Structure formats: structure tokens, C-alpha cells
């Protein structure tokens, strides 16, 4: 016996994530333009974006093992990450997480990676942003009693 009560079926993490995605509102909510996938690229995991002030962008780039598509408009840089890259993470201020990768109409592509996927790996991006903002990663903070 596996110790589970009821029907004996447990929902796995993949199932819970799929259920959450199914309940998500429309990707842009009318704010900005949804992320345009560059020609020849695909986004099989969906797209969200992490926006940071433009002054932080050049500090983050050398800390990443891979840089995906990055858009900019002069005041902010948007790093394209897979959908749900905010699960269990609170992105450090002044970063802003945008579901559906809403971008202003003035944003332009400033970096396109080799290959066919537009993503910057979210955990290295999170850690790089923590480092440049002086924020302790969430999982390294002491638990409060």
C-alpha cells in the first residue's frame, strides 16, 4: 500500500502545472504586444518575459551560460523565458515577470541566439539577477518560525 487514501491516484507535478496553465488568462491581457518569435524559431514551452532596467542588462549577460532572445526599448530589457518560470520564484526587484511576454510596441530584438529556441534558462537568469541586485536567492533565505 502506498499510504494514499481515496482513489489511490496522486497528481504529479507535471499534471498540476498543466492544470495551472489551462486556467491562465489570455497571454497579454491587452497590455503590450505578445512576444514575436523570430523567423525560424519555435517556442514549444510558451513564452513569458522577465523585464529589467536597461542598466542591468549588460551586467547580467556575462553571468549567463546561454542568452536567449532579448528585446529592448531604451529603458528596459526583456529576457524571454519558458512559460511558468515564475513558479516557486519571486523575481528580485526591480525585475518584473510578465506572463505571455507582453512587450511594448517600441521594443526591438537586440539578441537572437543560435538555434531554434528563444529561451534564456530561467534559473541562471534568476541567479544572475539576484547577484547584480544584491538579493539573496529565495531558497537561501532563513525560514521564519
Amino acid at each position: 500500500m502506498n499510504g494514499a487514501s481515496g482513489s489511490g491516484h496522486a497528481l504529479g507535478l507535471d499534471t498540476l502545472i498543466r492544470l495551472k496553465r489551462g486556467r491562465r488568462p489570455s497571454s497579454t491581457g491587452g497590455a503590450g504586444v505578445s512576444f514575436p518569435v523570430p523567423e525560424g524559431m519555435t517556442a514549444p514551452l510558451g513564452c513569458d518575459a522577465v523585464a529589467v532596467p536597461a542598466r542591468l542588462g549588460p551586467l547580467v549577460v556575462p553571468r549567463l551560460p546561454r542568452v536567449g532572445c532579448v528585446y529592448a526599448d531604451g529603458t528596459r530589457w526583456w529576457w524571454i523565458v519558458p512559460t511558468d518560470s515564475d513558479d516557486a520564484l519571486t523575481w528580485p526587484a526591480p525585475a518584473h515577470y510578465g506572463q505571455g511576454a507582453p512587450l511594448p510596441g517600441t521594443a526591438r530584438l537586440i539578441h537572437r541566439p543560435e538555434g531554434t529556441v528563444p529561451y534564456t534558462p530561467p534559473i541562471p537568469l534568476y541567479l544572475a539577477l539576484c547577484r547584480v541586485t544584491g538579493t539573496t536567492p529565495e531558497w537561501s533565505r532563513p525560514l521564519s518560525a
Side-chain angles (χ1 to χ4, degrees):
M1 179 163 256
N2 65 7
S5 60
S7 67
H9 296 286
L11 294 177
L13 183 57
D14 290 341
T15 302
L16 294 172
I17 295 294
R18 277 194 298 273
L19 289 171
K20 179 182 175 193
R21 284 183 184 165
R23 294 178 43 151
R24 190 172 265 194
S26 74
S27 63
T28 63
V33 176
S34 185
F35 161 69
V37 176
E39 187 175 330
M41 297 191 105
T42 61
L45 302 175
C47 289
D48 287 347
V50 178
V52 300
R55 65 182 167 76
L56 295 180
L59 302 174
V60 171
V61 170
R63 298 175 185 278
L64 295 172
R66 179 184 192 282
V67 178
C69 287
V70 180
Y71 289 80
D73 72 352
T75 60
R76 289 193 165 282
W77 284 25
W78 287 266
W79 305 83
I80 303 306
V81 295
T83 298
D84 291 328
S85 293
D86 61 335
D87 276 351
L89 285 179
T90 300
W91 289 81
H96 174 74
Y97 190 88
Q99 293 179 348
L103 302 174
T106 56
R108 69 189 194 306
L109 183 65
I110 61 168
H111 183 267
R112 178 193 167 128
E114 295 285 327
T116 61
V117 294
Y119 308 121
T120 295
I123 297 300
L125 178 59
Y126 172 81
L127 291 171
L129 286 169
C130 285
R131 180 66 144 210
V132 301
T133 61
T135 304
T136 301
E138 228 172 54
W139 54 77
S140 296
R141 296 179 192 149
L143 296 175
S144 58

